[in-house]
Amino acid sequence: MHRSLLPLSLFALLAWQALAGTPLQEALAASPDGPLYIFDVIVQNDGADAMMRVDPTRPEGERLTVISPPRKDWSDDFSKQVKKMQADTDGDIWCSKLGNNIPDDAALESETATTATYTYAPRVGAEPGDMDDILKYLKGKVVVAKDDPAILSVEMVAEKPFRPLPIARISQFEMKVACNRAPDGRTHVARVNVDISGSAMMKDFSESERQTITNLKAVPESGMGAK
């Protein structure tokens, strides 16, 4: 009868390696559950330099409060942005959600002792919305922590000009998201930088926006299991 020359301990090691996930798989599988947080958002763009506070315990549509500038100094564009943010804000700032557009075939680009970096073509349709017309033209990069696996940063960049619509041409699109650890260990969106330029309806445009999330304060007794 044939006998394997591999010792049982090696069989066990090989089996464990086959089941072990990659750092990216482990980061995407990390639990999103944890306490709720109240936090501040700094928004900086061509028409605004504002600070807002988000309280996810408040009713939908009332979770965002503008701290500055005062209401009398709001421009029409800023008023529209605040209205949209009030309707969309749910308090979900967790970087695990950034994995929704990362496909299973993301390729390992490089790694260090503590991080692994992957590149990928963003998955379209994971969360249908305005970005679907743009995602298919972008290249993504994600950095994950190996210890206590979690997403640390995400970039999505257009490597060449593209036309999301017949009347629009995007010459530059770059979105960079940096994540920090919350007190409970999950990583949250800390900074978002978006730069986009091109032309639409025969007119050139260039827009940049910076959002910074800071001053996280856990909601007392919100407990684990809240998102």
Side-chain angles (χ1 to χ4, degrees), residues 85-107:
M85 291 180 69
Q86 284 175 331
D88 295 342
T89 297
D90 59 6
D92 187 351
I93 55 173
W94 307 110
C95 288
S96 58
K97 190 174 182 180
L98 300 173
N100 292 341
N101 295 116
I102 300 176
D104 296 333
D105 62 353

Side-chain angles (χ1 to χ4, degrees), residues 12-120:
L13 176 61
L14 292 175
W16 181 84
Q17 289 176 330
L19 292 174
T22 66
L24 177 58
Q25 289 171 333
E26 293 179 1
L28 297 179
S31 173
D33 294 340
L36 295 173
Y37 287 88
I38 297 170
F39 56 89
D40 293 339
V41 183
I42 299 170
V43 178
Q44 298 170 306
N45 55 42
D46 293 339
D49 189 348
M51 175 174 281
M52 309 172 185
R53 182 156 296 153
V54 175
D55 183 348
T57 67
R58 295 178 61 84
E60 185 176 351
E62 301 177 13
R63 293 169 180 154
L64 184 141
T65 302
V66 177
I67 299 174
S68 65
R71 184 64 182 262
K72 64 182 179 65
D73 294 335
W74 293 12
S75 66
D76 289 343
D77 286 343
F78 182 65
S79 296
K80 292 176 183 177
Q81 183 176 14
V82 170
K83 185 176 181 179
K84 186 178 187 305
M85 291 180 69
Q86 284 175 331
D88 295 342
T89 297
D90 59 6
D92 187 351
I93 55 173
W94 307 110
C95 288
S96 58
K97 190 174 182 180
L98 300 173
N100 292 341
N101 295 116
I102 300 176
D104 296 333
D105 62 353
L108 179 64
E109 180 183 77
S110 62
E111 59 183 322
T112 68
T114 57
T115 66
T117 300
Y118 299 81
T119 57
Y120 59 94

Side-chain angles (χ1 to χ4, degrees), residues 12-13 24-25 77 105 139 160 174 184 192 209-210 214:
L13 176 61
L24 177 58
Q25 289 171 333
D77 286 343
D105 62 353
K139 180 178 180 180
K160 59 183 180 180
E174 183 174 277
D184 63 83
V192 181
E209 180 162 300
R210 307 286 181 263
T214 185

